[in-house]
Amino acid sequence: MAVPKKKTSKSRKGMRRSHDHISAPNIVYCECGEPTLPHRACSVCGTYKGRQVVSSDNA
Ligand SMILES: [Zn+2]
């Protein structure tokens, strides 16, 4: 089994992990005014691209 010759320093570990963060998701606004994720049906009114795709009992 291959074994690293040197211990990874705190500095090098930090440099490797500098790209590990995740960015905040994009927000698009539904026709009902609620913020939703892009390419997802609205969780409030159940529509996608102006079409009802999820049956909602409140509408
Ligand atoms: Zn909506």
Side-chain angles (χ1 to χ4, degrees):
M1 193 177 90
V3 176
K5 194 168 251 182
K6 294 284 185 196
K7 177 180 179 177
T8 304
S9 66
K10 292 172 187 173
S11 168
R12 191 152 286 280
K13 183 172 67 181
M15 284 193 278
R16 181 176 67 239
R17 293 181 181 176
S18 68
H19 301 284
D20 286 2
H21 61 88
I22 56 167
S23 58
N26 285 338
I27 294 294
V28 295
Y29 283 91
C30 175
E31 289 161 339
C32 69
E34 286 297 318
T36 59
L37 295 170
H39 307 109
R40 297 289 185 279
C42 178
S43 57
V44 177
C45 62
T47 61
Y48 183 67
K49 289 191 180 292
R51 194 166 60 89
Q52 192 80 24
V53 291
V54 178
S55 60
S56 59
D57 36 314
N58 56 348

